[in-house]
Amino acid sequence: MRKLLTVLVGFLMVVPTVAAAQPDTRSAGRPGRPLTVMTYNIHHGAGIDGVLDLERIAVLIQKSGADVIGLQEVDRHWDVRSNWVDQPAWFAQRLKMHYAYAANLDLPPVNPGEPRRQYGTAILSKYPIQGFENTLLPKYPAGEQRGLAVADLTVRGAKLRFANTHLTSNNNAERLEQAQQVVELLGGSTTPTLLVGDLNATPAAPEIKTLTAVYDDTWAEVGDGPGYTIEADNPTKRIDFQLHSAGLRPTQAAVPVTPASDHLPVVASFVLS
């Protein structure tokens, strides 16, 4: 029986100065807190044009007004492909946000004394991250290690659980096991929950249905059009999702067009009760 490894990851606290997202007028007169969320597979900062450019991703995040962001394929001192940059720390400093990083791949440095080479997912937040845990998901022998990163936030007095994942890309059975484990890990809580990420499957796939049997698909509720997210220059599939539990009411969702990665981001607005 496969053992799951749970890794507690430290996180940097940066005092946020970015303006909060504007309330959706449709929530007027109803209790709740407006919240804008982005999920984005950044392909270690390399765009569909082959250019490595973290700044244009930062500008995209700023323009979206996102309060909380789940990023996938994030490098930390990985190698020359991302200029050895600590990408989560760079985004946190650039955007003046709190962050937490989940290193699903964690390798020794090339030279003794240098930082470890890491690759995984990151969460950026305008609100302090009060707790964070990354759990490694089931992995087949030929697979790449994936994880479920979960951050505990308080949004203007309301509790929020924000989960970010990147499921495997090349094995349906492995991905289904990962989705089942995600449901188990997130189950049993009444805290409003957002699950975002690159799920590497389309809405009709069994692994996605495993998740949407428990969590509502934001795009299906309020998105306009197909919501395709890959490939960025000619998207034909929706594999990047924002799913939510009770306590979160979606009001709108969009897929901004950008060459900054091979994926397109998904931005959605909610009212958190």
Side-chain angles (χ1 to χ4, degrees):
M1 179 176 181
R2 182 179 294 106
K3 291 185 178 180
L4 295 178
L5 302 177
T6 301
V7 183
L8 294 178
V9 183
F11 54 89
L12 174 69
M13 303 296 282
V14 182
V15 178
T17 59
V18 183
Q22 294 299 310
D24 188 284
T25 56
R26 286 171 286 185
S27 66
R30 301 170 68 176
R33 298 147 183 85
L35 183 74
T36 299
V37 175
M38 174 187 284
T39 182
Y40 195 14
N41 181 325
I42 65 168
H43 193 227
H44 63 267
I48 201 75
D49 54 7
V51 176
L52 179 69
D53 188 350
L54 297 186
E55 176 61 22
R56 65 180 169 183
I57 295 174
V59 170
L60 178 70
I61 292 171
Q62 283 184 314
K63 288 182 176 179
S64 76
D67 301 294
V68 189
I69 303 99
L71 301 178
Q72 304 88 42
E73 294 195 14
V74 184
D75 282 359
R76 193 181 210 178
H77 309 297
W78 183 253
D79 66 12
V80 68
R81 75 179 185 184
S82 48
N83 293 329
W84 305 96
V85 169
D86 182 342
Q87 292 186 336
W90 187 95
F91 280 116
Q93 183 174 21
R94 168 65 177 79
L95 296 167
K96 296 182 172 58
M97 287 184 167
H98 308 273
Y99 83 97
Y101 183 69
N104 294 319
L105 300 183
D106 185 11
L107 305 180
V110 174
N111 301 305
E114 294 179 346
R116 293 186 67 83
R117 301 171 54 231
Q118 297 178 326
Y119 172 77
T121 63
I123 293 172
L124 303 172
S125 173
K126 291 180 183 178
Y127 304 98
I129 297 172
Q130 298 167 323
F132 181 73
E133 187 173 37
N134 185 53
T135 302
L136 301 183
L137 297 174
K139 183 181 83 69
Y140 285 16
E144 177 185 297
Q145 186 63 65
R146 309 291 174 139
L148 177 70
V150 182
D152 297 315
L153 311 174
T154 299
V155 179
R156 295 186 293 282
K159 298 294 184 182
L160 174 69
R161 189 171 57 161
F162 187 85
N164 180 25
T165 194
H166 182 194
L167 302 186
T168 196
S169 61
N170 57 4
N171 189 309
N172 295 352
E174 182 180 14
R175 189 165 53 246
L176 178 57
E177 284 193 34
Q178 292 171 349
Q180 291 168 338
Q181 188 64 42
V182 167
V183 169
E184 291 179 17
L185 289 168
L186 293 179
S189 174
T190 58
T191 302
T193 298
L194 272 163
L195 170 62
V196 308
D198 174 4
L199 305 185
N200 270 315
T202 56
E207 49 270 44
I208 303 303
K209 288 188 174 296
T210 295
L211 297 171
T212 55
V214 180
Y215 297 102
D216 294 324
D217 183 353
T218 300
W219 189 268
E221 293 176 301
V222 297
D224 183 17
Y228 294 157
T229 56
I230 193 169
E231 297 277 334
D233 55 348
N234 182 30
T236 58
K237 294 190 294 184
R238 181 163 76 94
I239 65 171
D240 298 88
F241 290 80
Q242 293 200 32
L243 310 178
H244 70 91
S245 71
L248 287 151
R249 178 171 58 86
T251 57
Q252 56 186 351
V255 176
V257 177
T258 173
S261 170
D262 59 342
H263 287 243
L264 296 177
V266 181
V267 181
S269 295
F270 300 86
V271 175
L272 171 64
S273 61

